[in-house]
Amino acid sequence: MSTTEEVRAVVRSADPSLYNRDLAPVTPSERTWTWVHFASLWVGMSICIPTYTLASSLVDRGWTWQSAVGAIVLGNLIVFLPIVLNSHAGTRYGVPFPVFSRAAFGVTGAHVPALLRAFVACGWFGIQAWIGGWAIYKLLEAIWPGVAQLPQILPGWVGLGTGEAICFLLFWALNLAIVLRGMESIKILETLGSPFLLLVGLALLVWAYTQAGGWEPMLRNPTTAAGTATGLGVLGAGLTSAVAFWGTMALSIPDFSRFAKTQKDQAIGQLVGLPATMALFAFVGAAVTNATPVIFGERISDPVLLLARIGGPVMVVISMIGLAVATLTTNIAANVVSPANAFSNLSPSRVDFRRGAIITALIGLVMFPWRLYNDAAAYIFTWLIGYGALLGPVAGVLIADYFIVRRRRIDVDSLFVRGGEYEYSGGVNWVAILAVVLGVLPNLPGFLGALGVFAAPAWATTVYEWAWFVGFAIAAIVHLIGMRTLHPLAWETARQIRPPALAHTYAFPTPSRPAPKPPE
């Protein structure tokens, strides 16, 4: 049988519940991303308001600016490792994250990690939509102050004024409309949006330097700042929140790395684009926030509120338009692709990428993102560390399974059929599920304490502050022990699989799917 006939036979045998053109391995013509494109992708995603507020929120809670920036720099160097490791599978086999997860969790058990990642992305989609809507609201308020006095329509428990709600819904709808038109429609926004936000951030830094009277008063820490005595501020909650910030992409990065030309392209591009960009913009957020008490007599950690306080209406309008555009591009790249694939993975014959994107937007709407984002404690301890406790164990299972159990060898054909190598028990690998559950459990008391359900004991709070790391380690160890004990044949079978000589060896023919345009 010829190679073409073999590939067609695989397509004919693929289970409709596991296969559609969005989930299929990419074709050679779709592998167009070089290291420059990956660097551009990370620069575009990293330069966003949540990066600024990750640092500014730590400073707002009393951290020194050195500890805040140090935690973020170290956290991004750490999270780069699982990002580049999970990228390897996407590049070698050309499959997206939900399909890659089938090797470790089973062909149907993969819904668990895919949906965990998807719901976190939905929350981020809502947060980014709220940030863009909030920028539009402050823009309107500068032009028309009466927007703040519109009659209250929503009930008080929602926590939004009428003007805020209208602006949020408008920006949310704009995100959805662009997604439904396709990724090509944001080419200009991707090119101009993030550099504009970088210019705004650097302009804020220069403004703070000028207004505060130089670096010394600008970077002077209050005597009560956390971490000044021991220097341990880069540890614990700050480090965990920095790792969890991109812990989402550490799982779903195969959704992008599958389009890489080579492993070298994805690794070098991400190394160039991620740590340095996050460090720069985190410094801007921490330093400017640290200077606001000197300038205004009060600490202002929200860059939208800060921009509304400086300059005239023209400055406010230009800044808010830039913030909205940059937020739009980051939101679509980081928070739509992965959940749309995950929801498509649930029912490939019924849910395509567009329908998955609609589901993502609707869930993000009802998660009350303004409550997650507007409070520094909730943003760090409830949102970032909370979802880090969920996703850290998933990363532990995936990396342990791919690099240790399978030694980077996957039978791609079996990822799309029932009864194959990754069927396990009814399509679910209960070892991997148990590993994730046991990885999450130690962090549950601390999470409930952060929510205010009860007063968590000191040990629970300490464990929770290291949630991502604790979950990752426990899940990886449990998975390895469980696979060796209950699935010993998996270790031997994986060694018999011949890895592809080229990354696209297993690519299915998908002529109706155009190759996505790489970021410029």
Side-chain angles (χ1 to χ4, degrees):
M1 186 181 292
S2 69
T3 302
T4 302
E5 291 172 338
E6 289 174 350
V7 172
R8 288 174 178 169
V10 171
V11 174
R12 285 197 298 270
S13 65
D15 193 300
S17 67
L18 301 174
Y19 177 88
N20 67 19
R21 66 189 182 95
D22 294 317
L23 299 176
V26 297
T27 61
S29 63
E30 293 174 306
R31 292 182 172 274
T32 57
W33 289 39
T34 67
W35 73 269
V36 175
H37 299 130
F38 280 97
S40 300
L41 175 73
W42 277 108
V43 169
M45 291 194 297
S46 299
I47 299 175
C48 60
I49 294 178
T51 299
Y52 180 106
T53 53
L54 176 61
S56 66
S57 294
L58 292 172
V59 173
D60 192 40
R61 288 183 59 80
W63 286 48
T64 65
W65 70 266
Q66 296 96 324
S67 293
V69 175
I72 293 170
V73 171
L74 182 57
N76 278 274
L77 289 174
I78 292 173
V79 80
F80 170 76
L81 294 177
I83 286 175
V84 76
L85 290 177
N86 279 331
S87 293
H88 186 280
T91 301
R92 170 173 275 193
Y93 298 103
V95 293
F97 163 62
V99 175
F100 165 53
S101 301
R102 294 172 185 174
F105 287 86
V107 291
T108 58
H111 293 322
V112 173
L115 288 179
L116 287 177
R117 167 64 178 99
F119 285 122
V120 171
C122 291
W124 269 120
F125 182 92
I127 287 174
Q128 292 276 13
W130 163 248
I131 291 172
W134 179 239
I136 293 174
Y137 174 76
K138 300 307 293 185
L139 184 156
L140 283 177
E141 192 176 39
I143 301 173
W144 174 42
V147 70
Q149 279 75 49
L150 291 176
Q152 183 66 29
I153 298 176
L154 299 173
W157 57 266
V158 174
L160 280 184
T162 300
E164 296 168 328
I166 292 174
C167 293
F168 166 60
L169 290 175
L170 284 174
F171 193 74
W172 174 88
L174 178 61
N175 277 262
L176 183 57
I178 290 178
V179 170
L180 294 181
R181 287 176 58 88
M183 296 297 286
E184 181 67 18
S185 64
I186 63 166
K187 175 184 175 182
I188 296 178
L189 297 181
E190 286 180 339
T191 304
L192 300 179
S194 295
F196 187 93
L197 185 54
L198 178 59
L199 290 176
V200 170
L202 293 176
L204 276 177
L205 191 65
V206 172
W207 168 84
Y209 173 87
T210 303
Q211 295 296 314
W215 291 115
E216 196 281 328
M218 177 181 176
L219 299 179
R220 184 191 306 131
N221 292 305
T223 57
T224 57
T228 52
T230 65
L232 296 178
V234 297
L235 302 178
L239 181 60
T240 302
S241 61
V243 172
F245 189 84
W246 288 122
T248 53
M249 291 297 293
L251 299 185
S252 58
I253 191 62
D255 291 336
F256 296 93
S257 67
R258 63 198 295 222
F259 300 107
K261 287 186 174 182
T262 66
Q263 295 288 359
K264 184 178 179 180
D265 282 310
Q266 64 88 2
I268 292 179
Q270 296 187 98
L271 179 61
V272 170
L274 174 59
T277 306
M278 288 292 293
L280 172 62
F281 216 59
F283 172 74
V284 171
V288 173
T289 301
N290 204 59
T292 52
V294 179
I295 300 170
F296 293 108
E298 61 176 323
R299 195 178 302 279
I300 303 174
S301 60
D302 188 336
V304 175
L305 292 178
L306 179 59
L307 286 168
R309 291 277 297 267
I310 63 178
V314 175
M315 172 65 178
V316 172
V317 170
I318 294 174
S319 300
M320 296 310 166
I321 290 175
L323 293 181
V325 170
T327 300
L328 187 65
T329 60
T330 300
N331 205 19
I332 292 174
N335 304 317
V336 174
V337 175
S338 294
N341 284 336
F343 293 130
S344 177
N345 187 57
L346 272 178
S347 181
S349 61
R350 295 185 178 91
V351 182
D352 59 7
F353 180 87
R354 288 164 55 89
R355 291 176 180 174
I358 293 174
I359 295 172
T360 300
L362 291 175
I363 295 177
L365 177 64
V366 302
M367 289 181 72
F368 286 30
W370 51 92
R371 293 193 181 277
L372 292 174
Y373 179 77
N374 281 353
D375 179 77
Y379 178 52
I380 294 174
F381 288 93
T382 302
W383 176 240
L384 289 178
I385 299 182
Y387 78 66
L390 282 177
L391 301 188
V394 176
V397 168
L398 291 176
I399 291 175
D401 187 84
Y402 180 66
F403 284 93
I404 300 178
V405 176
R406 308 192 186 282
R407 295 190 180 182
R408 298 174 296 172
R409 299 184 179 190
I410 293 177
D411 180 5
V412 176
D413 297 351
S414 293
L415 295 174
F416 295 95
V417 297
R418 299 303 304 266
E421 175 70 20
Y422 310 114
E423 179 68 16
Y424 297 103
S425 177
V428 179
N429 182 4
W430 292 106
V431 169
I433 300 297
L434 177 64
V436 170
V437 171
L438 293 181
V440 170
L441 281 180
N443 297 306
L444 189 58
F447 175 67
L448 295 176
L451 285 177
V453 176
F454 64 86
W459 69 265
T461 301
T462 301
V463 169
Y464 180 66
E465 288 179 348
W466 295 90
W468 191 92
F469 300 93
V470 171
F472 181 99
I474 291 176
I477 293 171
V478 170
H479 184 74
L480 291 176
I481 294 174
M483 290 297 289
R484 174 61 76 179
T485 303
L486 299 178
H487 297 291
L489 290 179
W491 297 68
E492 301 305 322
T493 303
R495 284 150 177 75
Q496 298 171 9
I497 298 173
R498 291 186 60 189
L502 296 174
H504 59 261
T505 297
Y506 292 110
F508 293 178
T510 53
S512 60
R513 179 180 62 188
K517 186 175 182 60
E520 297 183 359

